[in-house]
Amino acid sequence: MLGDKDVCATIAVRDMAAATEFYGEVLGLQASNESPGGTFFKSGNSGVFVYPSPGVAGTNKATYAAWSVTDVEGTIEGLKAKGVSFEHYDDLPGVTREGDVHIMGAMKAAWFKDPDGNILSFSNMSDKQ
């Protein structure tokens, strides 16, 4: 029923102005469909919907959204140049880490947080590879 439809991550934030700058300027997503209820940021054929919810923002301890990239190290360097710092998870079974890159066999991944502490990631693996 939904297998051929695009999906959208929904991310609660405290400060829409800070979120708009982060998702738009830092991550390079295109804002569209802005409303008092939130903003959709286009990313590839899908995107993320960021909405104000001060009581919920930053409380999720899992990854909210993950992107597929071809160059994990290059993406890390590009985001670091924009002030993004990366999370390190050294207790994941079967995972080694080299700097900010978590390695799981052929898969490389990195995690970071938005201004509200929402966890985001990217890796070199997707269903298209």
Side-chain angles (χ1 to χ4, degrees), residues 1-38:
M1 177 180 276
L2 297 177
D4 63 343
K5 308 297 183 221
D6 289 338
V7 66
C8 173
T10 58
I11 302 173
V13 299
R14 287 180 201 87
D15 182 340
M16 280 300 294
T20 298
E21 180 179 344
F22 181 78
Y23 286 93
E25 300 299 320
V26 175
L27 299 187
L29 307 183
Q30 181 65 44
S32 64
N33 299 330
E34 296 179 45
S35 73

Side-chain angles (χ1 to χ4, degrees), residues 90-108:
D90 294 324
D91 58 350
L92 300 174
V95 177
T96 58
R97 187 172 55 81
E98 293 178 10
D100 296 315
V101 180
H102 295 71
I103 302 167
M104 299 152 269
M107 182 178 173
K108 295 179 179 181

Side-chain angles (χ1 to χ4, degrees), residues 44-45 68 124-129:
N45 291 321
S68 178
N124 65 335
M125 298 298 282
S126 75
D127 63 341
K128 296 176 184 171
Q129 294 179 339

Side-chain angles (χ1 to χ4, degrees), residues 44-115:
N45 291 321
S46 59
V48 297
F49 181 72
V50 176
Y51 65 97
S53 185
V56 176
T59 61
N60 186 2
K61 301 299 182 207
T63 305
Y64 257 111
W67 285 264
S68 178
V69 301
T70 55
D71 181 4
V72 171
E73 293 86 352
T75 303
I76 289 170
E77 292 309 312
L79 289 174
K80 277 185 166 182
K82 294 184 174 195
V84 174
S85 59
F86 287 84
E87 301 296 302
H88 297 158
Y89 300 110
D90 294 324
D91 58 350
L92 300 174
V95 177
T96 58
R97 187 172 55 81
E98 293 178 10
D100 296 315
V101 180
H102 295 71
I103 302 167
M104 299 152 269
M107 182 178 173
K108 295 179 179 181
W111 283 267
F112 60 101
K113 293 181 179 178
D114 75 1

